[in-house]
Amino acid sequence: MLLTSVILVLREVLEAALLLSILLAMSHYLGLRTRWILMALAGGILGSIAYGAGIGIVSQTFDGMGQELLNAAMQFAIYGLLLLVGILLIWNSAGRQQYLLLLQWSMVLAVALATLREGSEVYVYLIAFRHQTDLLQSVLLGALIGAGIGFSIGALFYYLLLGLPRRRRLIFALVLLSLIGAGLCLQAVQLLEQADWLPAQAPLWDSSTLLSENSLLGQLLYALLGYEATPTLMAVIAYILGLSLMTALLGWAWIKSRAVPYEYAQGLSE
């Protein structure tokens, strides 16, 4: 149970920790206060406990597929928020200082939803062992180890981003946000397949013998790139479309922000 707990909690924590580290680094990049993170984490943790406690009710909705559909909706919502964050980061990268409140609230909602989504899975897992005293100690120890590894990798990414030159820091963060966003689209489509809202398909390939999803590298690539050892065709298409849409819109925002003179943009905001 120790290893199972480490893998399960690491998988849930790592995705939220990476997203948190990237957005924190971008707050530092724009010189924003980072107090928003406290609000995001508090909302996400409280939401995950409430969601986990009511998971039975949620699951019974939509003919027993409420949990899959709600999780898929949250994945798409986080994707949309990351897209908005990316555009606003580009717009403000030239020192415009515009729409910063919208940017910060988008970060708050993205982190809160990611924490809620992943935290509820951990809560449901842990609460299932509350009466199994013979297993509870190893489950809690495994959960602490998994959470520790996940947050440590997130901290490593944070300091890695801070150590990059300013321009490369923004580009690297946008690339990471695009890959994470594409992974969210892939996961959302898989959930819709599980809920029978999309037709079930056979795996397009199986790379589990080359790289297991349960390995540390597999968990990292899952959180960072949306790695799946046995994806379906529809999941792969969702990943490509999600990545293409974000890349196109961020590229458009980059060109647009450089085409509008800063003084003219200031005049528009007055």
Side-chain angles (χ1 to χ4, degrees), residues 121-270:
E121 300 282 347
V122 175
Y123 177 85
V124 170
Y125 174 72
L126 294 180
I127 207 72
F129 290 93
R130 65 187 184 281
H131 298 310
Q132 302 184 41
T133 53
D134 54 329
L135 296 175
L136 187 59
Q137 185 175 357
S138 62
V139 167
L140 291 177
L141 180 60
L144 286 174
I145 294 172
I149 296 173
F151 283 118
S152 297
I153 294 175
L156 182 65
F157 262 81
Y158 173 71
Y159 288 108
L160 174 66
L161 282 170
L162 288 188
L164 293 174
R166 183 176 171 80
R167 188 177 179 84
R168 289 183 185 177
R169 192 188 314 169
L170 174 63
I171 294 173
F172 193 46
L174 292 174
V175 170
L176 291 178
L177 289 179
S178 299
L179 293 172
I180 290 174
L184 292 172
C185 292
L186 180 147
Q187 294 165 23
V189 165
Q190 288 181 321
L191 288 166
L192 292 176
E193 289 178 337
Q194 292 173 22
D196 291 331
W197 276 41
L198 291 174
Q201 294 180 319
L204 199 57
W205 66 73
D206 186 353
S207 58
S208 56
T209 54
L210 295 174
L211 180 59
S212 170
E213 292 178 13
N214 293 331
S215 65
L216 180 59
L217 180 59
Q219 296 292 321
L220 179 61
L221 292 181
Y222 169 81
L224 201 55
L225 307 176
Y227 171 73
E228 285 287 342
T230 56
T232 63
L233 176 60
M234 202 166 293
V236 173
I237 291 174
Y239 186 91
I240 294 172
L241 287 178
L243 184 60
S244 300
L245 177 63
M246 189 169 279
T247 302
L249 289 178
L250 293 184
W252 170 82
W254 186 282
I255 295 171
K256 196 77 174 176
S257 68
R258 268 58 186 172
V260 178
Y262 175 47
E263 293 76 8
Y264 178 65
Q266 274 192 314
L268 288 177
S269 65
E270 292 175 352

Side-chain angles (χ1 to χ4, degrees), residues 9-22 75 78 114-115 117-118 150 180-181 183-184 187 219-220 222-224 226:
V9 174
L10 173 61
R11 184 183 181 96
E12 304 300 337
V13 168
L14 192 53
E15 191 170 329
L18 286 176
L19 183 59
L20 175 61
S21 66
I22 295 167
Q75 301 291 66
I78 298 170
T115 305
R117 165 82 177 87
E118 311 302 338
I180 290 174
L184 292 172
Q187 294 165 23
Q219 296 292 321
L220 179 61
Y222 169 81
L224 201 55

Side-chain angles (χ1 to χ4, degrees), residues 26-101:
M26 288 299 95
S27 287
H28 189 275
Y29 171 83
L30 293 178
L32 303 176
R33 293 180 177 178
T34 55
R35 286 184 299 184
W36 62 269
I37 198 64
L38 298 177
M39 186 188 307
L41 288 177
I45 292 171
L46 291 175
S48 66
I49 294 173
Y51 183 26
I55 196 70
I57 299 173
V58 174
S59 298
Q60 291 171 9
T61 59
F62 292 98
D63 296 327
M65 294 298 170
Q67 184 182 358
E68 287 80 2
L69 296 177
L70 182 55
N71 287 344
M74 283 195 285
Q75 301 291 66
F76 281 131
I78 298 170
Y79 174 83
L81 288 167
L82 294 186
L83 181 55
L84 180 58
V85 167
I87 291 173
L88 293 177
L89 283 174
I90 292 170
W91 186 249
N92 283 284
S93 62
R96 286 189 169 84
Q97 299 291 305
Q98 293 175 312
Y99 313 116
L100 293 181
L101 186 59

Side-chain angles (χ1 to χ4, degrees), residues 98-121:
Q98 293 175 312
Y99 313 116
L100 293 181
L101 186 59
L102 177 60
L103 173 59
Q104 285 190 305
W105 274 108
S106 300
M107 289 180 174
V108 168
L109 289 175
V111 172
L113 278 177
T115 305
L116 190 160
R117 165 82 177 87
E118 311 302 338
S120 62
E121 300 282 347

